[in-house]
Amino acid sequence: MSKSLFQTVSIDLAERSYDIHIGSGLLNLEAMLDGLPRATSVLIVSNETVAPLYAARLAESLGKKYAHVLTLALPDGEVHKNWQTLNLIFDTLLQNGCDRKTLLVALGGGVVGDMTGYAAASFMRGVPFLQIPTTLLSQVDSSVGGKTGINHPLGKNMIGAFYQPLRVICDLDTLQTLPDRELSAGLAEVIKYGPIADLSFMDWLEHNMDALRARDVTAMAHAVQRSCEIKAWVVAQDEREGGLRAILNFGHTFGHAIEAGMGYGAWLHGEAVGCGMVMAAQLSLRLGLVDAGLVARLHALTLRAGLPVVGPVLDATDNAGRYLQLMRLDKKADAGQIKFVLIDGASKATVQGAPDALVREVIDACCKA
Amino acid sequence: MSKSLFQTVSIDLAERSYDIHIGSGLLNLEAMLDGLPRATSVLIVSNETVAPLYAARLAESLGKKYAHVLTLALPDGEVHKNWQTLNLIFDTLLQNGCDRKTLLVALGGGVVGDMTGYAAASFMRGVPFLQIPTTLLSQVDSSVGGKTGINHPLGKNMIGAFYQPLRVICDLDTLQTLPDRELSAGLAEVIKYGPIADLSFMDWLEHNMDALRARDVTAMAHAVQRSCEIKAWVVAQDEREGGLRAILNFGHTFGHAIEAGMGYGAWLHGEAVGCGMVMAAQLSLRLGLVDAGLVARLHALTLRAGLPVVGPVLDATDNAGRYLQLMRLDKKADAGQIKFVLIDGASKATVQGAPDALVREVIDACCKA
C-alpha cells in the first residue's frame, strides 16, 4: 500500500510530541509501526466487543516487529472503567514477565484508551503506549490530549494521569462496524469544534452531515483530521489544562450533569454533550454573547447528527435545582462556582460563570420529561 | 524562630524544581509554608503510628494558611502499600469535596510518602503535594527523586508515577521517636552515598557514626543534607531513570533478593540494602574493580551502623540459585540479565552484569543460615 492512503496530524508537545495517522486499512499497514521502539513484548488491550473484530489482524502486524504479542480483552463498557478492570492489565503484564520496555497498545474506544493509557502511565512508573481508537468519539477526542484515567464510585475520571502516546493510528475502516448511536455520539464532539474554533468547519459539516452519517471514508477522514488539528492547536497551548483547554468542554458542563443525573451509561457521553452544547448555546444567547441564528444552526446540525437536543428531567420537583447541584460537583467547578464554556459566534469560546437565575431559565426551556 | 535553624538543598528539575528544608522544629515553623499555593483544603496523609505524634502540631501550622485541614491515618506498614489503602485517600478527598487545588501532605516514612505522592499524581490527574518525611530512610532517599507508587501482589512498586513534590520538609526532631532498628535501616542508604559518589563523606561517616546512632542533631543534619545533595546531583542528570540514576541502587540488587526471598517485611528495606552493599562490594572485589581495604571499611561501617552484614539462606539446597532466580525477576533486570551496581574505590560506580559463577561465589561467601 502506498503512503498516500493516510494523512498525518502532528501533535506538538516538545519531547512528548507524536503523530496521528488517519486513513483506511492502517491496521494491516506495517509502515504504521516504523520508528516505534524495540521491545520484547507487546500487550494489545481491547475489549470483548472490539477484540474479535480487529485484534487478530493487529496482532499479525505487530508480530512482524515484536517477538511476543499478547492480547487482553476487557469487559466492555463505562461501568468497567474502574480499578478492578485496570488491575487485569497489571496482572497480565506481570504474569507474562513484561518489563519497562513493553509496549501497550490500546485497541478500542475511549474507555479502553483511557484505561490502557493510565496503565501505561503507571506500570513500572511508565511504559510506552500506542493508541488505536476504533470509535469516532475516541478518534476525534481522546486521541489528542493525553488524558487517561479511571472512574471512582464518587466521580468520573477522578483518578488518572496526563500521559501522551507514542503515536495514534485512526483506521477509518473500524468505524464501519460502529453502532449508529455511537457514530452520532462521536459526531457531537466533531460538531463541537465548529462554534468554539472554526465556523467554516461548521459550514463544511452542514454540507457533509449526510455523507458522515453514511460513513463515507473521504468525508470521515476530513472530519477526523480537522477535529484533531483543532484539538491539537488548543492542547499544544495548554497541555495540563490550566486555561485555554477548558474551551474543549463546550457542552460538557450541562452534559456531565445529564450523565451523572441519569446514571452513567443511560445516555452516551456524546449524546449528553450534544444536548449540552444546545443548552450552552442557549445560555450564550441569553447572556447576549451570540445571535439566535447560530444557535438555531447548531440546534439543527446536532439534530441532523442523530443527537438529542432536549434535556432529560432529572428531578420532577426542582429539575433546574438538580442540574445546578450536579454541575457544582463537577471537577471543573472552582470552589462551587460553575464554569460554563460559552460561544461568541466568531469561532471563539470563553469560560465564565453565569447567574443561577439565567441558568435555571435555560434548563427550564431546554428540558422535557 | 530564626531562619538559621534550617538548611536547604535545592533540587534542580526545570519547572519541577523544589527545595528540601532540613532542620529542627520545622513542623511548627510557619515560614516552611511560605510560597505554597493557595487552596481551600489540605489533606494530611499519615499513618496510625506517626499521626498521634505529629499530625496535630502540623495541622495547627497548616490551619494558619488553609481553611480546611483534614487528616487521614492509614494503617501502618509495607503490607498496606496497596490499592485498597491508596483508595482510602481518594475516598477521603472525594467525600470532603476536595478539588484540583487541594494540597496533599505526606507525613510519615517511605510508605506514606510513596502512596501520598501517587495519590497526588493521580487525583484529578495531579494535585500539588508536600512531603514531610519522618524517618531517616525517607529523608535521605524518597525525599529526592519523585518516585511514588504502590505494590502489586506480583511485585513491589510495580504501579506508580514519577511525580515531584512542591517542597520537602525534613524535621530532624521526628527522628527522636524512630525505633533503633529503623534508624539503622536509614543509615544504610546514608552509607551508600559514600562508595558510589563521595569517599570523603565515607570518612566523615566513620568519624561520626556514634553521634548519628545517638541521634545528635548536628551530625544528623549533615548526614541528611549531604545524602540529599548527592542524590539530587544524580537525579538532576537522569530524572526518569534512564542511566546514571541506576548507581543509586548500590546494594539493592542483592537487597531486593533478600527482601523478596524472606517475604517483604521480614527484613527492613535498609537492612537488606546494608547487607546487599557488602555483597556488591565483594562482587566488585572479585571482579578486580576495588581493593580489599575499601571493602573491609564498608563492612565495618555497615556493622557499626547496626546493620546485618551476613545474608540469609533463602534455599537450603541451592541458595545461590535462589538468589539468582530472584534477581532475574527484579524490574531492573533487562531481558533476564541481572544488573549489578559495582564500585571502583574512587567515588564512582558502574552498572554491569557479572558471570553467574562469580555471583554464586559471593553469595556462598556472604550468606549463613
Side-chain angles (χ1 to χ4, degrees), chain A residues 213-243:
Chain A
R213 292 199 68 187
R215 303 166 198 233
D216 174 85
V217 169
T218 310
M220 204 59 96
H222 181 72
V224 172
Q225 182 189 354
R226 190 70 197 118
S227 298
C228 289
E229 280 170 358
I230 295 171
K231 184 160 184 185
W233 171 79
V234 173
V235 169
Q237 294 172 75
D238 180 20
E239 185 178 356
R240 295 187 67 94
E241 208 163 23

Side-chain angles (χ1 to χ4, degrees), chain A residues 83 87 90-91 94 100 118 121-125 147-148 152 158-162 240-241 331 334, chain B residues 83 87 90-91 94 100-101 118 121-125 147-148 152 154 158-161 240-241 331:
Chain A
W83 171 259
N87 215 27
F90 296 133
D91 290 346
L94 288 165
R100 288 177 180 188
Y118 187 45
S122 302
F123 184 63
M124 296 191 178
R125 299 195 189 93
K147 283 190 181 181
T148 71
H152 182 280
M158 285 295 169
I159 300 162
F162 286 97
R240 295 187 67 94
E241 208 163 23
K331 74 173 179 294
D334 185 1
Chain B
W83 171 259
N87 215 28
F90 297 133
D91 290 346
L94 287 166
R100 288 177 181 191
K101 292 181 174 168
Y118 186 46
S122 302
F123 184 62
M124 295 193 179
R125 300 196 189 92
K147 283 190 181 182
T148 71
H152 182 280
L154 295 175
M158 284 295 169
I159 299 162
R240 296 187 66 94
E241 208 163 21
K331 74 172 179 297

Side-chain angles (χ1 to χ4, degrees), chain B residues 10 18 27 34 53 71 107-108 111 134 142 149 198 205 210 222 254 269 271 283 293 315-316 330 348 361:
Chain B
S10 293
Y18 63 91
L27 287 184
D34 284 353
L53 297 168
T71 299
L107 175 71
V111 172
T134 60
S142 47
D198 183 0
L205 286 170
D210 296 339
H222 180 72
F254 288 104
H269 174 70
E271 292 171 336
L283 182 59
D315 185 305
D330 194 273
K348 279 222 198 75
E361 272 183 40

Side-chain angles (χ1 to χ4, degrees), chain B residues 185-196:
Chain B
L187 287 171
E189 300 275 3
V190 174
I191 293 170
K192 175 186 84 177
Y193 294 110
I196 64 166

Side-chain angles (χ1 to χ4, degrees), chain A residues 124-326:
Chain A
M124 296 191 178
R125 299 195 189 93
V127 295
F129 114 93
L130 178 69
Q131 214 172 343
I132 305 185
T134 60
T135 65
L136 180 58
L137 179 63
S138 57
Q139 290 185 356
V140 300
D141 187 32
S142 48
S143 65
V144 185
K147 283 190 181 181
T148 71
I150 55 172
N151 298 330
H152 182 280
L154 296 175
K156 225 181 130 175
N157 293 321
M158 285 295 169
I159 300 162
F162 286 97
Y163 197 69
Q164 308 296 343
L166 291 179
R167 182 173 300 168
V168 177
I169 300 169
C170 298
D171 188 334
L172 301 170
D173 298 351
T174 61
L175 302 181
Q176 299 300 329
T177 52
L178 198 64
D180 283 335
R181 200 178 154 195
E182 288 197 41
L183 186 81
S184 292
L187 287 171
E189 300 274 4
V190 174
I191 293 170
K192 176 186 84 176
Y193 293 110
I196 64 167
D198 184 0
L199 285 181
S200 67
F201 182 51
M202 188 164 167
D203 294 341
W204 183 90
L205 287 170
E206 288 173 323
H207 285 98
N208 291 275
M209 186 50 76
D210 296 338
L212 290 171
R213 292 199 68 187
R215 303 166 198 233
D216 174 85
V217 169
T218 310
M220 204 59 96
H222 181 72
V224 172
Q225 182 189 354
R226 190 70 197 118
S227 298
C228 289
E229 280 170 358
I230 295 171
K231 184 160 184 185
W233 171 79
V234 173
V235 169
Q237 294 172 75
D238 180 20
E239 185 178 356
R240 295 187 67 94
E241 208 163 23
L244 181 69
R245 188 161 171 171
I247 68 167
L248 297 174
N249 291 318
F250 179 53
H252 285 62
T253 309
F254 289 104
H256 280 169
I258 294 173
E259 284 185 272
M262 296 297 286
Y264 286 104
W267 283 46
L268 295 179
H269 175 69
E271 292 171 336
V273 167
C275 186
M277 287 194 294
V278 171
M279 295 171 85
Q282 282 289 345
L283 183 59
S284 307
L285 177 65
R286 276 160 212 260
L287 283 163
L289 297 171
V290 71
D291 65 78
L294 185 71
V295 176
R297 280 175 62 196
L298 181 63
H299 186 282
L301 187 60
T302 305
L303 198 59
R304 279 182 64 207
L307 291 162
V309 291
V310 175
V313 171
L314 302 177
D315 185 306
T317 53
D318 181 14
N319 185 47
R322 177 68 178 143
Y323 269 84
L324 284 165
Q325 181 191 35
L326 288 165

Side-chain angles (χ1 to χ4, degrees), chain A residues 61-115:
Chain A
S61 298
L62 287 163
K64 289 173 188 157
K65 189 177 167 103
Y66 299 99
H68 302 288
V69 180
L70 305 158
T71 300
L72 171 65
L74 302 175
D76 189 8
E78 179 84 26
V79 68
H80 299 291
K81 190 175 158 180
N82 56 27
W83 171 259
Q84 285 71 29
T85 312
L86 183 74
N87 215 27
L88 296 176
I89 305 177
F90 296 133
D91 290 346
T92 304
L93 289 165
L94 288 165
Q95 283 159 3
N96 289 280
C98 293
D99 59 30
R100 288 177 180 188
K101 291 182 175 169
T102 297
L103 176 70
L104 290 195
V105 182
L107 175 72
V111 172
V112 164
D114 283 6
M115 284 202 292

Side-chain angles (χ1 to χ4, degrees), chain B residues 21 112 149 200 253:
Chain B
H21 299 315
V112 165
S200 67
T253 308

